[in-house]
Amino acid sequence: MGFQNIETPREDTPLLSNAPILSSKFKTFANVFISIVGSGVLGLPYTFKKTGWLMGLLMIFLVAFLTYYCMMLLVHTRRKLESIVGFPKINSFGDLGYAISGHVGKSFIDAMIVISQCGFCVGYLIFISTTLAHLASNTSTSSLFLGFTPKVLFLWSCFPFQLGLNAIPTLTHLAPLSIFADVVDITAKSVVMVEDVFVFMKNRPHLEAFGGWSMFFYGLGVAVYAFEGIGMVLPLESEAKDKDKFSGVLGLGMFLISLLYATFGALGYFAFGEQTQGIITTNLGQGVVSALVQLGLCINLFVTFPLMMNPVYEVVERRLCDSKYCLWLRWLLVLGVCLVALSVPNFADFLSLVGSSICVILSFVLPALFHYLVFREEMSWSCILWDGAVVVFGLVIAVTGTWSSLMDILASNA
């Protein structure tokens, strides 16, 4: 079929490479949940404000369905290729790109993964610095110090600690902190939703159901960012003990995550209406509980930062350092992420930019394109049209959503 039927240069998945070979349905479900749920959910209430609550809900479930569909396209494509006698095992998205398009395909996916993962970490730093600056604005530390705003000071105060965390060569030592951070994160998000309900019952703000078609692609970009986990689906399917049930487990996970996202986004917008901020936690009032919730979310993202950067280190060190650990290169990448975070004014606008420009290509365009290239000799016209529609839809989102997000970011900087 013209595919790269030679030994595939294996791209290990650092988050899963030391996990048990076979996972139960519960463990698979837990891994799906952890791999997908991230910081993108915190920008959903602001997105609902711009798109309207009804359009926001429709976009969440649309993106959830398309993401699930494209994840399964990758799984079916990998299974088809591995069914060929003598074909090497495909371990990751990058390996699949190599098997179909050679070194060009693998290099393109590597670049997309590096940019998207760094983009996630930029979002983390924006959230942490903005949230801490918001907390500091209620104290005497809100004034300028040496000409720097609190947001800039807090971002740079994170820098030396991130250098230390990202210097750790193995993720095993971060596992206890990661588990603690996940517990804190779930608790904090639950408290935020409960607080939203009480605020809504008290204020009953004016709400818009439909924000206009101009906001449609903006909202799609944020939603795609929030559901980004496409790079983990092949390792997760490889680990599943009962692979025939994987599609059901993944579907259940995506459905429950979409419900969580829809509830979190809608409640945040319902509570604060047109006053909804780019990061929903900045809408929370003063008090010990509010401060602890915001600090808890900051701790979660602070610890998650080196976990999300690990695939970047794997790619960069494999290509530049012969897969050898390189401390100065890791620190240089952390510095670059910090510098980008300083130049982005709004959390939700940045989510939309990354989601539209990078995540859409990884989540929609490439899975449908790879599926077509592998199955084209046996596909019906309806299947060809489906794959083509997904590719075109993804490209339209990539162009229009990126343009809309850039305009919003430039307007904020003006």
Side-chain angles (χ1 to χ4, degrees), residues 159-317:
F159 179 66
F161 297 100
Q162 283 299 339
L163 291 181
L165 287 176
N166 285 268
I168 298 175
T170 174
L171 295 177
T172 304
H173 300 302
L174 289 173
L177 284 176
S178 179
I179 294 173
F180 168 74
D182 287 335
V183 173
V184 171
D185 181 55
I186 294 174
T187 303
K189 285 188 173 70
S190 300
V191 173
V192 170
M193 287 189 284
V194 172
E195 178 72 14
D196 288 342
V197 172
F198 284 109
V199 174
F200 171 70
M201 296 300 294
K202 178 181 178 182
N203 295 335
R204 302 291 182 118
H206 172 72
L207 303 172
E208 294 287 345
F210 185 76
W213 287 110
S214 62
M215 291 293 103
F216 179 72
F217 293 106
Y218 175 94
L220 281 177
V222 177
V224 172
Y225 181 104
F227 280 102
E228 175 58 25
I230 194 76
M232 301 297 288
V233 67
L234 294 182
L236 288 173
E237 195 264 347
S238 296
E239 286 189 344
K241 184 176 182 180
D242 191 347
K243 291 179 173 52
D244 293 334
K245 301 290 180 63
F246 178 77
S247 62
V249 174
L250 178 63
L252 177 62
M254 291 297 293
F255 176 70
L256 293 178
I257 291 171
S258 63
L259 285 180
L260 170 65
Y261 283 2
T263 303
F264 192 91
L267 286 178
Y269 174 49
F270 287 176
F272 301 103
E274 291 303 311
Q275 302 303 316
T276 305
Q277 300 297 314
I279 301 176
I280 187 59
T281 51
T282 57
N283 282 111
L284 299 179
Q286 301 181 19
V288 175
V289 174
S290 175
L292 289 177
V293 167
Q294 295 178 72
L295 287 174
L297 292 170
C298 289
I299 291 172
N300 171 261
L301 296 183
F302 188 86
V303 175
T304 306
F305 186 101
L307 302 177
M308 296 302 289
M309 286 295 292
N310 205 265
V312 177
Y313 301 146
E314 189 279 326
V315 171
V316 175
E317 290 175 347

Side-chain angles (χ1 to χ4, degrees), residues 125-143:
L125 291 180
I126 296 172
F127 175 85
I128 293 170
S129 58
T130 302
T131 301
L132 293 179
H134 171 68
L135 292 175
S137 66
N138 298 320
T139 69
S140 60
T141 60
S142 59
S143 59

